[in-house]
Amino acid sequence: MEVTRAEKERVRDDLFEQVMTPTNVTDAWKRVKANGGAAGVDGMEIGDFPDFARRHWETIAAKLREGTYKPSPVRRVLIPKGRGRFRPLGIPTVLDRVIQQAIAQVLVELHDPTFSEHSYGFRPGRSAHQAIEAMRTMSLRKGYGGRRCHVVDCDLETFFDTVNHQKMMARLRESVADERLLNLIGKFLKAGAILPDGTYEESQSGVPQGGPLSPLLANILLDELDKELERRGHAFVRYADDFVILCHGPRAAARVLVSITRWLSRRLRLTVNETKSKVVPLAEAAFLGFCILRKKVRWTDRSRTKLKEKVRVITKRTRGVSPQQVMVDLQRHLRGAVNYYACGIPYRDIVELDGWLRRRMRLYYWKQWGRPRTRRRKLLALGIDRAEVHMASRSRKGHWRMSRNSLVHRAMTDAWLHTQGLPDLVKQWVAIRYPNGPKGSAKMA
DNA sequence: TAACGTCGAAC
RNA sequence: AUUGUUCGACGUUA
Ligand SMILES: Nc1ncnc2c1ncn2[C@H]1C[C@H](O)[C@@H](COP(=O)(O)OP(=O)(O)OP(=O)(O)O)O1
Ligand SMILES: [Mg+2]
């Protein structure tokens, strides 16, 4: 016992050297390189880094060890977040990303095993699917399934930007004894930012949205929230700054929301987003793009609308893009999106979506063919007889109506569209939902 | 099983 | 132009 405790002390105090290990640093660099991200405030691209590192790593390592290394400010880039709002990214330099990544790799092994079972965001081996499934399982427990079940759906306001430095460092000090490492992390927090107009801005609070270490720091801070929710015996699931608490009724839920809001503000100096946070009946609680309806996971109307909108954009730009190219784009987009949502898509939705997609693609071809002469030629080539072709090719009906026309349908059959490269959504859905085939006989991977 | 690459989703 | 963490799918290779 005495030996293991002493050993642990040693490892804790040696964390900094663990970060600086050549294998750890090269792993960190590999990751930064693989991400292929943009340059930071110094303008150094990923491609420039190996040369720079060969020349300067020794002196940088020395400065890091002496505690005299000064991280560069992050580069502030505003990206649209919908509804006219913007997300302020903080992009560290390539060098600082490597260093932060190296720190994260060491700290994650120390901290992640101690995190709550009910926390899912930014954590290795844990996914959004597991989080929503955990929520579903909780809702099945006695007392949470019925009509009375209400959910506190909580989200923090500009979460990363509002992380309190003092609170963050105090929390880190509880688990990290190495002063050099704490010092370095503190410097990263205070590095500041260069705004798009070139002016410097101090960072009095916040972890950069874009720092490789930031998600882990966020979880280390909110671990205290998890512990508090556990202490109070709440049925909750957290994904980053987004968490749900299942309650036995609307009044209890309302009390919990008020209480947790106050606790977060007082204890962690974090603000609950008043507009995003609310108490709703279980069926109306949207979490990670899903909700729980009649004990099943379902994608939200919003998720479906967003997916359709994306398809619309891909199939819109009729100018200059071949149908084949459009379908390649559709293929790879829908493969990923359907793969994510499949667990929440009911069969009738996927059939409807598949039909809508084919119709949209027929419309694309029809528009592409344009002039009556080319329409005539294409229709004949697809095996439609001359008399019918004559009428259809000269049709002045609207395009969307033509896409439903039976002749157009016979020319471009479902099978033909699929041979041209149109993804088969129903097939894909079945492959995900029933991976073992109709008999359910084969073994799992 | 692993490594690289492309892409999707959540935050 | 747009960073990061995590999960997943597909492709190439052995
Ligand atoms: N694209 C991203 N890049 C880097 N970090 C991100 C990204 N998206 C989300 N995050 C991180 C930083 C956010 O503070 C945190 C929570 O996300 P989110 O709730 O969507 O935004 P937010 O909390 O910053 O603003 P809001 O007030 O709109 O909730 O997750
Ligand atoms: Mg938020």
Side-chain angles (χ1 to χ4, degrees), chain A residues 351 353-364 403 409 412-415 417-418 422-426:
Chain A
V351 169
L353 193 66
D354 203 30
W356 176 80
L357 181 67
R358 285 194 304 268
R359 188 174 171 199
R360 213 154 163 100
M361 212 52 227
R362 286 188 184 102
L363 167 71
Y364 191 88
S403 70
H409 221 102
M412 293 180 265
T413 61
D414 295 1
L417 285 170
H418 288 140
L422 187 75
D424 186 335
L425 297 185
V426 174

Side-chain angles (χ1 to χ4, degrees), chain A residues 112-132 134 219 226 230 236-240 288 340:
Chain A
D112 196 81
T114 72
F115 287 159
S116 164
E117 284 307 303
H118 305 110
S119 159
Y120 290 87
F122 308 138
R123 290 187 60 188
R126 287 167 168 254
S127 65
H129 287 129
Q130 288 173 354
I132 191 69
N219 269 339
D226 298 335
E230 271 162 21
F236 73 100
V237 179
R238 182 172 72 81
Y239 193 97
L288 309 173
Y340 178 76

Side-chain angles (χ1 to χ4, degrees), chain A residues 57-70:
Chain A
W57 178 252
E58 290 227 10
T59 55
I60 291 162
K63 282 187 178 176
L64 284 165
R65 279 188 244 268
E66 285 168 26
T68 56
Y69 178 78
K70 194 168 184 303

Side-chain angles (χ1 to χ4, degrees), chain A residues 193-217:
Chain A
I194 302 291
L195 306 189
D197 63 24
T199 59
Y200 176 78
E201 186 184 73
E202 278 186 60
S203 49
Q204 281 144 351
S205 66
V207 290
Q209 301 193 39
L213 184 57
S214 299
L216 177 62
L217 293 182

Side-chain angles (χ1 to χ4, degrees), chain A residues 81 87 155-160 241-242 271 273 276:
Chain A
K81 186 161 76 160
R87 177 184 306 285
D155 188 283
L156 305 181
E157 203 167 292
T158 58
F159 174 39
F160 277 26
D241 73 333
D242 204 354
T271 317
N273 191 327
K276 283 200 203 171

Side-chain angles (χ1 to χ4, degrees), chain A residues 332-352:
Chain A
R332 69 153 153 266
H333 184 88
L334 289 171
R335 180 164 46 223
V338 170
N339 181 59
Y340 178 76
Y341 290 118
C343 67
I345 305 182
Y347 184 72
R348 58 186 153 71
D349 276 17
I350 201 68
V351 169
E352 193 264 341

